[in-house]
Amino acid sequence: MDELVALLDSDGKVCGSAPRSVMRRDNLRHGATGVLVRNSAGEIYVHRRTPTKDVYPHRYDFAAGGVVAAGEDPYDAVVRELDEELGITGVELTRLPEGDYADEHTSYRAYLYTCVWDGPVKHQPEEVEWGAWMSPADLVAKFDEWSFMPDTVALLGPLVRTYAQ
């Protein structure tokens, strides 16, 4: 099933919807979520996306997230995506400033959060093929070595760099 995605104007206001396949094909501006997950030791959860993802397959990422569905509140999308991708529920989310990202593959308004989680992480097999906790310094050191999601590096990389200092 081709889910309907909320489309956004340049101000971040919903201006319509489109099937996900059309949004990807035409690189339409939409809403997406990202959650930086840390544990109480300050480590960050890093994972590798599956090769079947519709954008940036098989890349490393340090945010759980996804597309905001048509009619869905962005916060509800954050909660849903965190549960779907990493099996994390019932956690207190701290809002970060929203951001915008666009390249030749995707264009969106990012609803960003962080949380502290010391419980188990359960990957959704269709989306995540590997994951581990890394110190901020080790993660920053991998930015140039591993193939990361460019949007996550652009939007959350500066925050991770402050943690690494």
Side-chain angles (χ1 to χ4, degrees):
M1 185 175 116
D2 202 0
E3 68 181 315
L4 281 180
V5 173
L7 300 180
L8 305 180
D9 65 18
S10 60
D11 295 323
K13 305 290 183 220
V14 175
C15 63
S17 64
R20 183 184 185 106
S21 61
V22 171
M23 177 270 292
R24 288 290 183 221
R25 181 193 72 206
D26 298 342
N27 198 9
L28 301 175
R29 184 169 158 77
H30 60 283
T33 65
V35 182
L36 180 74
V37 180
R38 300 178 76 202
N39 62 24
S40 58
E43 296 171 315
I44 297 168
Y45 198 77
V46 180
H47 65 276
R48 189 172 55 237
R49 297 158 61 84
T50 61
T52 57
K53 295 293 290 177
D54 63 356
V55 67
Y56 296 117
H58 217 269
R59 296 268 186 121
Y60 289 90
D61 203 353
F62 51 95
V67 172
V68 179
E72 186 176 33
D73 180 81
Y75 181 82
D76 293 338
V78 169
V79 171
R80 175 180 55 77
E81 287 288 347
L82 189 57
D83 180 19
E84 284 179 7
E85 280 189 19
L86 301 181
I88 297 173
T89 60
V91 67
E92 182 179 338
L93 295 165
T94 301
R95 190 174 184 163
L96 299 170
E98 293 176 8
D100 292 298
Y101 183 82
D103 65 18
E104 64 275 9
H105 302 289
T106 191
S107 175
Y108 65 90
R109 165 67 52 96
Y111 303 96
L112 303 170
Y113 289 79
T114 187
C115 69
V116 175
W117 178 255
D118 289 312
V121 175
K122 183 178 181 231
H123 300 153
Q124 182 181 48
E126 297 80 19
E127 296 196 34
V128 178
E129 65 179 10
W130 171 89
W133 294 100
M134 295 180 74
S135 74
D138 288 344
L139 175 54
V140 169
K142 295 292 185 189
F143 282 177
D144 294 327
E145 185 180 331
W146 293 357
S147 183
F148 276 95
M149 297 284 293
D151 52 345
T152 304
V153 173
L155 293 164
L156 293 171
L159 178 61
V160 170
R161 289 180 195 280
T162 66
Y163 293 151
Q165 296 174 351

